[in-house]
Amino acid sequence: MYFIANWKMFGGLNSLNSIHKVLKFLKNFRKNKKIKIIYCPPSTLINPMSKKLKNTRIDVGAQNCHQNQNYGAFTGSITPFMLKNVGAKYVIIGHSENRQEGETDRLINMKIKCALKSGLKVIFCIGETSKEKKGNKTKQKLNRQLKIGLNKIKIKKNIIIAYEPIWSIGSGLIPKSKELFEIINFIRNRSGNCKVLYGGSVNPKNISELNVINNVDGYMIGGASQDPKKLIDIIKKSYI
Ligand code: PGA
């Protein structure tokens, strides 16, 4: 199971201390079993965090990247290669908060290709708005995001898809189990068998409800991931 901690634009150097609790918990939890925890802090923390997490069971990822592989005159941007250079192994691409700032499916496709070429693994986010859900347009939207986002990418083994309905992010709302089960299968089929995670308001209280379905490969956790206790709780309850 994957657990992606998406810290968004939160955290300074002192936030790194919170990881110790999680590391301590992981020491004895499901030893030798496959469990993938990936912290995606703001870019400013990627390097100190990856140093701290060297030779542990936690990997580090970035929250976005530029679509250009080489250095260039792009003020404020970071290429995937630079992220890798400071310790990132993963990068989130296509988060709805960045799509809202103008990222298109085509741009996202370029970013994914560039990140893969640079040797990063990609966490590719897709999801529908509440209006699209109400208008029964969810599958149509997801299909388009997958089709354009994954265009001309043949090898997909380094891509994980995070299904994050926009209406569920930060709202406390989660999809009904039956709906989620169906959508996860839909995404897996349309993506050529990528791992599929769920994200949106995952917390220790609703994780058992989310876990009812058995076809999800893990979770992307925003708000709750900044609190080590909550993150540990979510992980523990995912294996009950
Ligand atoms: P949330 O965010 O858990 O705070 O809803 C999830 C995300 O945006 O990845």
Side-chain angles (χ1 to χ4, degrees):
M1 283 261 241
Y2 283 83
F3 299 90
I4 318 264
N6 175 12
W7 276 13
K8 309 195 179 192
M9 198 171 74
F10 290 91
L13 286 172
N14 57 352
S15 323
L16 297 179
N17 296 328
S18 70
I19 303 173
H20 289 295
K21 272 201 184 112
V22 182
L23 283 174
K24 206 171 146 209
F25 156 75
L26 282 174
K27 251 195 182 135
N28 297 311
F29 184 73
R30 292 175 68 84
K31 262 192 186 160
N32 310 322
K33 290 262 163 59
K34 235 187 162 177
I35 164 168
K36 272 266 169 218
I37 300 177
I38 303 152
Y39 267 89
C40 298
S43 307
T44 48
L45 297 180
I46 291 174
N47 192 244
M49 190 183 265
S50 61
K51 280 184 184 151
K52 215 171 205 151
L53 294 177
K54 212 171 167 194
N55 300 323
T56 70
R57 297 168 82 186
I58 306 181
D59 281 329
V60 179
Q63 296 176 13
N64 204 351
C65 66
H66 195 264
Q67 65 277 17
N68 234 53
Q69 209 179 358
N70 301 319
Y71 292 147
F74 300 101
T75 305
S77 299
I78 311 177
T79 82
F81 155 75
M82 289 156 85
L83 294 169
K84 192 162 182 242
N85 186 248
V86 292
K89 289 201 177 136
Y90 292 79
V91 59
I92 297 170
I93 296 179
H95 193 284
S96 61
E97 283 151 15
N98 294 320
R99 290 178 187 262
Q100 231 158 34
E101 297 288 323
E103 279 192 2
T104 60
D105 289 320
R106 240 183 65 78
L107 178 67
I108 287 162
N109 174 249
M110 288 162 72
K111 290 189 177 195
I112 296 178
K113 284 181 187 155
C114 183
L116 292 174
K117 243 192 219 160
S118 309
L120 289 180
K121 293 185 178 165
V122 170
I123 302 154
F124 170 32
C125 301
I126 56 173
E128 83 284 3
T129 63
S130 134
K131 195 171 160 207
E132 285 159 345
K133 180 179 164 60
K134 282 180 193 141
N136 275 326
K137 298 254 163 41
T138 299
K139 286 189 180 164
Q140 202 177 310
K141 169 80 173 285
L142 299 178
N143 201 33
R144 196 184 70 229
Q145 290 181 323
L146 286 169
K147 213 169 154 191
I148 307 175
L150 298 177
N151 188 33
K152 299 214 168 112
I153 300 174
K154 281 205 193 91
I155 301 163
K156 303 195 183 74
K157 70 173 188 337
N158 287 333
I159 302 177
I160 300 161
I161 298 180
Y163 169 56
E164 297 211 311
I166 297 168
W167 52 268
S168 78
I169 296 176
S171 65
L173 303 170
I174 56 167
K176 293 195 176 70
S177 306
K178 204 171 147 255
E179 279 171 10
L180 186 57
F181 181 83
E182 202 188 312
I183 291 176
I184 299 283
N185 272 348
F186 174 82
I187 295 172
R188 186 168 291 118
N189 291 336
R190 289 295 155 103
S191 66
N193 256 339
C194 287
K195 298 255 182 267
V196 187
L197 319 181
Y198 168 76
S201 291
V202 177
N203 63 42
K205 288 200 182 110
N206 62 23
I207 188 69
S208 309
E209 191 183 332
L210 285 163
N211 261 324
V212 168
I213 60 166
N214 56 8
N215 62 345
V216 75
D217 294 301
Y219 300 98
M220 178 142 154
I221 307 141
S225 74
Q226 290 153 44
D227 178 341
K229 271 220 263 351
K230 285 188 185 164
L231 186 63
I232 292 168
D233 226 16
I234 290 170
I235 297 171
K236 266 195 209 155
K237 287 181 177 166
S238 297
Y239 288 97
I240 292 172

